[in-house]
């Protein structure tokens, strides 16, 4: 979930993440409609999750109580990248500490890993060329502040659009996969 100016912080609720003085928590709510709900159900299909510690801290209290909205959330393995936490009461939570553990997990025989939120983790993954696909839900608003997934230092990469749709409320769902190196050229006659 991202805004036109690239903000991803606290999309789901007013008190979700107020760090840095963020005051726009819950900014996706006005754009929810039936089409968004159908697309979200597709994106919430069970898959193991790779999460940053701050996102996990927000989720571990919320999702176990709301599993009816996200079936399977309690059963999938949640891999949390953290140097400060090592355990949780939320079942199937596995803590790992750093880039080498992430690379080992990515290269294992397991299924796909999905990342939700986790701006600092996303920066680390992009800096180390470890993201294969993006599902972006681009919301038609500008917030002017907040955490962003894309930062300087990412490995330059091209992506190919695989699937897209636009909801009646103006949210663009876009699914991209890696398409090799960035190509350049000149525009014009």
């Amino acid at each position: 979930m991202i805004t036109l100016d690239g903000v991803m912080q606290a999309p789901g609720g007013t008190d979700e993440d107020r760090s840095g003085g963020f005051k726009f928590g819950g900014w996706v709510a006005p754009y929810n409609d039936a089409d968004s709900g159908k697309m979200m159900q597709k994106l919430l299909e069970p898959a193991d999750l790779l999460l940053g510690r701050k996102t996990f801290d927000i989720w571990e209290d919320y999702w176990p109580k709301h599993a009816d909205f996200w079936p399977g959330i309690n059963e999938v393995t949640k891999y949390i990248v953290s140097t400060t936490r090592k355990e949780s009461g939320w079942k199937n939570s596995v803590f790992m500490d750093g880039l080498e553990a992430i690379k080992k997990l990515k290269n294992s025989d397991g299924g796909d890993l999905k990342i939700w939120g986790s701006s600092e983790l996303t920066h680390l993954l992009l800096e180390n060329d470890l993201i294969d696909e993006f599902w972006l839900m681009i919301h038609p608003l500008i917030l002017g502040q907040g955490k962003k997934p894309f930062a300087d230092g990412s490995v330059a990469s091209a992506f190919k659009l695989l699937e897209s749709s636009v909801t009646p409320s103006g949210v663009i769902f876009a699914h991209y996969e890696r398409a090799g190196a960035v190509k350049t050229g000149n525009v014009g006659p």
Side-chain angles (χ1 to χ4, degrees), residues 2-29:
I2 192 168
T3 64
L4 293 174
D5 60 339
V7 174
M8 64 183 289
Q9 186 171 351
T14 56
D15 293 322
E16 186 175 320
D17 178 1
R18 292 185 178 270
S19 62
F22 191 72
K23 58 185 176 187
F24 298 109
W27 50 267
V28 301

Side-chain angles (χ1 to χ4, degrees), residues 4-189:
L4 293 174
D5 60 339
V7 174
M8 64 183 289
Q9 186 171 351
T14 56
D15 293 322
E16 186 175 320
D17 178 1
R18 292 185 178 270
S19 62
F22 191 72
K23 58 185 176 187
F24 298 109
W27 50 267
V28 301
Y31 300 95
N32 287 344
D33 56 34
D35 288 4
S36 290
K38 288 178 190 170
M39 287 300 295
M40 285 302 296
Q41 288 307 312
K42 178 179 180 176
L43 297 178
L44 297 176
E45 290 174 356
D48 289 344
L49 302 170
L50 179 61
L51 303 169
R53 197 251 327 141
K54 292 174 188 171
T55 297
F56 182 79
D57 286 349
I58 294 167
W59 283 27
E60 93 181 293
D61 252 359
Y62 182 82
W63 282 114
K65 301 170 192 165
H66 297 89
D68 54 324
F69 180 77
W70 191 344
I73 185 66
N74 291 320
E75 285 71 36
V76 300
T77 302
K78 293 154 286 286
Y79 296 97
I80 304 96
V81 180
S82 177
T83 58
T84 58
R85 289 197 57 187
K86 302 295 179 205
E87 60 184 52
S88 170
W90 192 10
K91 70 179 180 176
N92 301 320
S93 296
V94 176
F95 289 84
M96 42 197 301
D97 63 351
L99 186 58
E100 291 309 313
I102 296 168
K103 287 179 180 179
K104 184 177 178 181
L105 178 62
K106 185 177 186 328
N107 292 322
S108 70
D109 290 333
D112 289 342
L113 291 168
K114 291 183 180 180
I115 303 161
W116 286 85
S118 305
S119 62
E120 291 178 30
L121 173 60
T122 301
H123 295 171
L124 178 67
L125 296 173
L126 288 169
E127 289 167 7
N128 289 279
D129 201 21
L130 293 172
I131 293 183
D132 300 319
E133 297 183 16
F134 280 105
W135 263 104
L136 299 178
M137 293 154 268
I138 306 161
H139 289 71
L141 72 158
I142 293 173
L143 298 179
Q145 71 171 105
K147 296 175 183 176
K148 298 179 179 184
F150 305 108
D152 289 346
S154 298
V155 172
S157 309
F159 286 81
K160 174 184 175 184
L161 182 67
L162 296 179
E163 178 181 352
S164 65
S165 64
V166 181
T167 69
S169 62
V171 177
I172 300 168
F173 282 77
H175 180 197
Y176 294 95
E177 77 173 355
R178 287 292 300 272
V182 174
K183 297 175 184 168
T184 63
N186 295 310
V187 177

